[in-house]
Amino acid sequence: MSSPYGYGGHPPGPPPGVLPPPQSAPWPPSGRYGPPPQAPYPGQQYPQQQYPGQWGQQPYYGGPGQFNGFQPPKRRGGAVRVIVLAFVLLIFLAVSVAVLGSLLGTSDDNTAQPGVTGPSIVPTPTSNPQKGTAEDYLLNADIYRTGPLPEQNCTAANLGTGTLAAQKVYYQKLFTCLNDAWRPIFKELGQDKPDPGLIVFDKPVTTPCGRFEPLSGRVLAFYCYGNQVMYTDVKQMNRAFGPQHDLAYLMTIAHEYGHHVQGVTGLFYARAVYLQDHPDQQLESSRRNELQASCFGGVFSKAVEKSYPLTNRLDEFKEQSSNSFGESADTPEDERTHGLATSQGFWIQNGFNIGANKACNTFAVSADLVK
């Protein structure tokens, strides 16, 4: 049977450094998009089977009424169907990671490079997809019409030497502010979900998304949709930034919380459905998804600007946001899942400068802004 942790059976024992303990969250999610309407939208059919959110089973798309009535398109046949379903299952269980780019310089891409004062755009959809489709939801979700996050009194904790204990204290304080800032937005959208969990680890950790070792690849932190928990690698953060670069820690956890926002608001599920019918958009869609999470992180950064404080550190904020995350200009295009470092900086700063979620509709902008 399904468990609140997103897979069958009992959850594993808590990994080291739980902050706070992962909370039981209903899975599959329910909320404002149910109960089902009396009839499907024109031209749409309800699926005959609803998929449980369990490891090793088919991915969950949501029951009738999800996303204002849109349903998964009819599945493609043969090898294409296998590939598409495997990809959707992967992103359901998968890790949304903050990757460290090997970037100490800047990209030669000028389109996504912020100017001196930084970007300040409000994306506006230029297409009119069929009402109720996944594409329509990605472009016109209610989250884009919410206001600024409430200002937070959130003075940063001292990272000290970056030990597990010090990082736990830092993240615990920041995580409380993230929950307090986003909770009113979720309420405005009619969503009453448990706060996500946060695990800070310096030893191997087992999650519904897989088992992870400290210092694995370039993974700094990740969010697992299977149990709505964020995980941060203490050793990797220390190796990448050291405790003196606390703004990178702020942006990392705010980015991962951005993935939680995507899950709560339905953007994650809409994207899964969209990709089933548009597998050729996998890489670009991944970049739009990751850059949107970073933009949400920028919006949160604005909410803590005065108390963190960021007010006298904006140059450092811009430098960190544009050079610490994402991929380098020499990363092959078919491997760019998170966007160039300059694209990351563009969207973090755009969220900060606009200070509201309307800044973060990365699905509505041209491809040159999500390189």
Side-chain angles (χ1 to χ4, degrees), residues 235-252:
K235 295 180 179 179
Q236 190 79 292
M237 291 297 292
N238 258 331
R239 183 169 72 175
F241 305 113
Q244 67 273 23
H245 295 300
D246 61 290
L247 294 187
Y249 288 71
L250 163 67
M251 285 180 260
T252 296

PDB file of all heavy atoms in Angstrom, residues 235-252:
ATOM      1  N   LYS A 235      29.394  18.082   3.405  1.00  0.00           N
ATOM      2  CA  LYS A 235      30.764  18.061   2.899  1.00  0.00           C
ATOM      3  C   LYS A 235      30.873  18.738   1.535  1.00  0.00           C
ATOM      4  O   LYS A 235      31.847  19.439   1.245  1.00  0.00           O
ATOM      5  CB  LYS A 235      31.260  16.616   2.828  1.00  0.00           C
ATOM      6  CG  LYS A 235      31.384  15.944   4.193  1.00  0.00           C
ATOM      7  CD  LYS A 235      31.892  14.514   4.066  1.00  0.00           C
ATOM      8  CE  LYS A 235      32.025  13.856   5.433  1.00  0.00           C
ATOM      9  NZ  LYS A 235      32.502  12.453   5.333  1.00  0.00           N
ATOM     10  N   GLN A 236      29.862  18.522   0.695  1.00  0.00           N
ATOM     11  CA  GLN A 236      29.899  19.129  -0.630  1.00  0.00           C
ATOM     12  C   GLN A 236      29.790  20.645  -0.537  1.00  0.00           C
ATOM     13  O   GLN A 236      30.477  21.376  -1.268  1.00  0.00           O
ATOM     14  CB  GLN A 236      28.760  18.573  -1.494  1.00  0.00           C
ATOM     15  CG  GLN A 236      28.841  18.951  -2.960  1.00  0.00           C
ATOM     16  CD  GLN A 236      29.835  18.118  -3.729  1.00  0.00           C
ATOM     17  OE1 GLN A 236      31.039  18.241  -3.504  1.00  0.00           O
ATOM     18  NE2 GLN A 236      29.343  17.284  -4.626  1.00  0.00           N
ATOM     19  N   MET A 237      28.924  21.130   0.333  1.00  0.00           N
ATOM     20  CA  MET A 237      28.782  22.577   0.492  1.00  0.00           C
ATOM     21  C   MET A 237      30.081  23.196   0.994  1.00  0.00           C
ATOM     22  O   MET A 237      30.493  24.261   0.540  1.00  0.00           O
ATOM     23  CB  MET A 237      27.638  22.899   1.451  1.00  0.00           C
ATOM     24  CG  MET A 237      26.248  22.572   0.913  1.00  0.00           C
ATOM     25  SD  MET A 237      25.802  23.523  -0.556  1.00  0.00           S
ATOM     26  CE  MET A 237      25.646  25.177   0.129  1.00  0.00           C
ATOM     27  N   ASN A 238      30.729  22.502   1.919  1.00  0.00           N
ATOM     28  CA  ASN A 238      32.008  23.001   2.425  1.00  0.00           C
ATOM     29  C   ASN A 238      33.069  23.013   1.335  1.00  0.00           C
ATOM     30  O   ASN A 238      33.846  23.957   1.213  1.00  0.00           O
ATOM     31  CB  ASN A 238      32.487  22.150   3.601  1.00  0.00           C
ATOM     32  CG  ASN A 238      32.229  22.822   4.936  1.00  0.00           C
ATOM     33  OD1 ASN A 238      32.213  24.039   5.026  1.00  0.00           O
ATOM     34  ND2 ASN A 238      32.019  22.030   5.969  1.00  0.00           N
ATOM     35  N   ARG A 239      33.109  21.959   0.534  1.00  0.00           N
ATOM     36  CA  ARG A 239      34.105  21.886  -0.530  1.00  0.00           C
ATOM     37  C   ARG A 239      33.840  22.931  -1.609  1.00  0.00           C
ATOM     38  O   ARG A 239      34.771  23.527  -2.144  1.00  0.00           O
ATOM     39  CB  ARG A 239      34.122  20.488  -1.159  1.00  0.00           C
ATOM     40  CG  ARG A 239      35.201  20.338  -2.241  1.00  0.00           C
ATOM     41  CD  ARG A 239      35.379  18.899  -2.669  1.00  0.00           C
ATOM     42  NE  ARG A 239      34.260  18.422  -3.474  1.00  0.00           N
ATOM     43  CZ  ARG A 239      34.222  17.220  -4.054  1.00  0.00           C
ATOM     44  NH1 ARG A 239      35.234  16.370  -3.881  1.00  0.00           N
ATOM     45  NH2 ARG A 239      33.175  16.844  -4.775  1.00  0.00           N
ATOM     46  N   ALA A 240      32.576  23.157  -1.893  1.00  0.00           N
ATOM     47  CA  ALA A 240      32.225  24.085  -2.968  1.00  0.00           C
ATOM     48  C   ALA A 240      32.395  25.539  -2.567  1.00  0.00           C
ATOM     49  O   ALA A 240      32.882  26.356  -3.361  1.00  0.00           O
ATOM     50  CB  ALA A 240      30.784  23.837  -3.415  1.00  0.00           C
ATOM     51  N   PHE A 241      32.009  25.875  -1.352  1.00  0.00           N
ATOM     52  CA  PHE A 241      31.952  27.284  -0.970  1.00  0.00           C
ATOM     53  C   PHE A 241      32.748  27.624   0.290  1.00  0.00           C
ATOM     54  O   PHE A 241      33.218  28.753   0.435  1.00  0.00           O
ATOM     55  CB  PHE A 241      30.497  27.719  -0.749  1.00  0.00           C
ATOM     56  CG  PHE A 241      29.612  27.460  -1.924  1.00  0.00           C
ATOM     57  CD1 PHE A 241      28.598  26.528  -1.852  1.00  0.00           C
ATOM     58  CD2 PHE A 241      29.803  28.138  -3.112  1.00  0.00           C
ATOM     59  CE1 PHE A 241      27.780  26.284  -2.943  1.00  0.00           C
ATOM     60  CE2 PHE A 241      28.995  27.903  -4.204  1.00  0.00           C
ATOM     61  CZ  PHE A 241      27.979  26.970  -4.120  1.00  0.00           C
ATOM     62  N   GLY A 242      32.837  26.667   1.208  1.00  0.00           N
ATOM     63  CA  GLY A 242      33.380  27.015   2.505  1.00  0.00           C
ATOM     64  C   GLY A 242      32.346  27.820   3.273  1.00  0.00           C
ATOM     65  O   GLY A 242      31.431  28.399   2.694  1.00  0.00           O
ATOM     66  N   PRO A 243      32.433  27.865   4.577  1.00  0.00           N
ATOM     67  CA  PRO A 243      31.413  28.537   5.389  1.00  0.00           C
ATOM     68  C   PRO A 243      31.390  30.047   5.229  1.00  0.00           C
ATOM     69  O   PRO A 243      30.437  30.696   5.644  1.00  0.00           O
ATOM     70  CB  PRO A 243      31.786  28.138   6.816  1.00  0.00           C
ATOM     71  CG  PRO A 243      33.245  27.840   6.757  1.00  0.00           C
ATOM     72  CD  PRO A 243      33.476  27.241   5.403  1.00  0.00           C
ATOM     73  N   GLN A 244      32.429  30.625   4.619  1.00  0.00           N
ATOM     74  CA  GLN A 244      32.461  32.084   4.496  1.00  0.00           C
ATOM     75  C   GLN A 244      31.499  32.606   3.434  1.00  0.00           C
ATOM     76  O   GLN A 244      31.118  33.772   3.463  1.00  0.00           O
ATOM     77  CB  GLN A 244      33.887  32.569   4.178  1.00  0.00           C
ATOM     78  CG  GLN A 244      34.426  32.173   2.815  1.00  0.00           C
ATOM     79  CD  GLN A 244      35.108  30.795   2.826  1.00  0.00           C
ATOM     80  OE1 GLN A 244      34.827  29.965   3.687  1.00  0.00           O
ATOM     81  NE2 GLN A 244      35.988  30.575   1.870  1.00  0.00           N
ATOM     82  N   HIS A 245      31.079  31.749   2.499  1.00  0.00           N
ATOM     83  CA  HIS A 245      30.185  32.187   1.428  1.00  0.00           C
ATOM     84  C   HIS A 245      28.746  31.799   1.764  1.00  0.00           C
ATOM     85  O   HIS A 245      28.125  30.978   1.097  1.00  0.00           O
ATOM     86  CB  HIS A 245      30.618  31.596   0.088  1.00  0.00           C
ATOM     87  CG  HIS A 245      31.962  32.078  -0.367  1.00  0.00           C
ATOM     88  ND1 HIS A 245      32.240  33.409  -0.600  1.00  0.00           N
ATOM     89  CD2 HIS A 245      33.113  31.404  -0.620  1.00  0.00           C
ATOM     90  CE1 HIS A 245      33.500  33.537  -0.990  1.00  0.00           C
ATOM     91  NE2 HIS A 245      34.056  32.337  -1.002  1.00  0.00           N
ATOM     92  N   ASP A 246      28.222  32.405   2.802  1.00  0.00           N
ATOM     93  CA  ASP A 246      26.898  32.011   3.284  1.00  0.00           C
ATOM     94  C   ASP A 246      25.789  32.304   2.286  1.00  0.00           C
ATOM     95  O   ASP A 246      24.748  31.646   2.305  1.00  0.00           O
ATOM     96  CB  ASP A 246      26.593  32.707   4.612  1.00  0.00           C
ATOM     97  CG  ASP A 246      26.595  34.215   4.476  1.00  0.00           C
ATOM     98  OD1 ASP A 246      27.679  34.797   4.284  1.00  0.00           O
ATOM     99  OD2 ASP A 246      25.508  34.829   4.543  1.00  0.00           O
ATOM    100  N   LEU A 247      25.974  33.285   1.394  1.00  0.00           N
ATOM    101  CA  LEU A 247      24.915  33.592   0.433  1.00  0.00           C
ATOM    102  C   LEU A 247      24.682  32.424  -0.522  1.00  0.00           C
ATOM    103  O   LEU A 247      23.570  32.229  -1.008  1.00  0.00           O
ATOM    104  CB  LEU A 247      25.241  34.862  -0.348  1.00  0.00           C
ATOM    105  CG  LEU A 247      25.282  36.164   0.456  1.00  0.00           C
ATOM    106  CD1 LEU A 247      25.452  37.361  -0.474  1.00  0.00           C
ATOM    107  CD2 LEU A 247      24.013  36.320   1.287  1.00  0.00           C
ATOM    108  N   ALA A 248      25.730  31.650  -0.787  1.00  0.00           N
ATOM    109  CA  ALA A 248      25.553  30.463  -1.625  1.00  0.00           C
ATOM    110  C   ALA A 248      24.685  29.430  -0.911  1.00  0.00           C
ATOM    111  O   ALA A 248      23.877  28.734  -1.545  1.00  0.00           O
ATOM    112  CB  ALA A 248      26.915  29.867  -1.982  1.00  0.00           C
ATOM    113  N   TYR A 249      24.822  29.345   0.403  1.00  0.00           N
ATOM    114  CA  TYR A 249      23.975  28.440   1.191  1.00  0.00           C
ATOM    115  C   TYR A 249      22.524  28.909   1.136  1.00  0.00           C
ATOM    116  O   TYR A 249      21.598  28.106   1.002  1.00  0.00           O
ATOM    117  CB  TYR A 249      24.451  28.400   2.646  1.00  0.00           C
ATOM    118  CG  TYR A 249      25.752  27.677   2.872  1.00  0.00           C
ATOM    119  CD1 TYR A 249      26.961  28.220   2.452  1.00  0.00           C
ATOM    120  CD2 TYR A 249      25.784  26.456   3.529  1.00  0.00           C
ATOM    121  CE1 TYR A 249      28.163  27.568   2.675  1.00  0.00           C
ATOM    122  CE2 TYR A 249      26.985  25.789   3.771  1.00  0.00           C
ATOM    123  CZ  TYR A 249      28.170  26.361   3.327  1.00  0.00           C
ATOM    124  OH  TYR A 249      29.356  25.703   3.553  1.00  0.00           O
ATOM    125  N   LEU A 250      22.327  30.209   1.257  1.00  0.00           N
ATOM    126  CA  LEU A 250      20.984  30.778   1.165  1.00  0.00           C
ATOM    127  C   LEU A 250      20.352  30.436  -0.172  1.00  0.00           C
ATOM    128  O   LEU A 250      19.215  29.956  -0.232  1.00  0.00           O
ATOM    129  CB  LEU A 250      21.060  32.298   1.333  1.00  0.00           C
ATOM    130  CG  LEU A 250      19.844  33.113   0.878  1.00  0.00           C
ATOM    131  CD1 LEU A 250      18.640  32.827   1.752  1.00  0.00           C
ATOM    132  CD2 LEU A 250      20.171  34.600   0.873  1.00  0.00           C
ATOM    133  N   MET A 251      21.074  30.656  -1.254  1.00  0.00           N
ATOM    134  CA  MET A 251      20.513  30.433  -2.583  1.00  0.00           C
ATOM    135  C   MET A 251      20.273  28.954  -2.861  1.00  0.00           C
ATOM    136  O   MET A 251      19.313  28.578  -3.539  1.00  0.00           O
ATOM    137  CB  MET A 251      21.426  31.044  -3.644  1.00  0.00           C
ATOM    138  CG  MET A 251      21.325  32.564  -3.712  1.00  0.00           C
ATOM    139  SD  MET A 251      22.415  33.292  -4.969  1.00  0.00           S
ATOM    140  CE  MET A 251      23.777  33.835  -3.935  1.00  0.00           C
ATOM    141  N   THR A 252      21.141  28.094  -2.315  1.00  0.00           N
ATOM    142  CA  THR A 252      20.980  26.655  -2.533  1.00  0.00           C
ATOM    143  C   THR A 252      19.681  26.146  -1.917  1.00  0.00           C
ATOM    144  O   THR A 252      18.876  25.483  -2.581  1.00  0.00           O
ATOM    145  CB  THR A 252      22.179  25.888  -1.939  1.00  0.00           C
ATOM    146  OG1 THR A 252      23.370  26.264  -2.634  1.00  0.00           O
ATOM    147  CG2 THR A 252      21.979  24.387  -2.063  1.00  0.00           C
TER     148      THR A 252
END
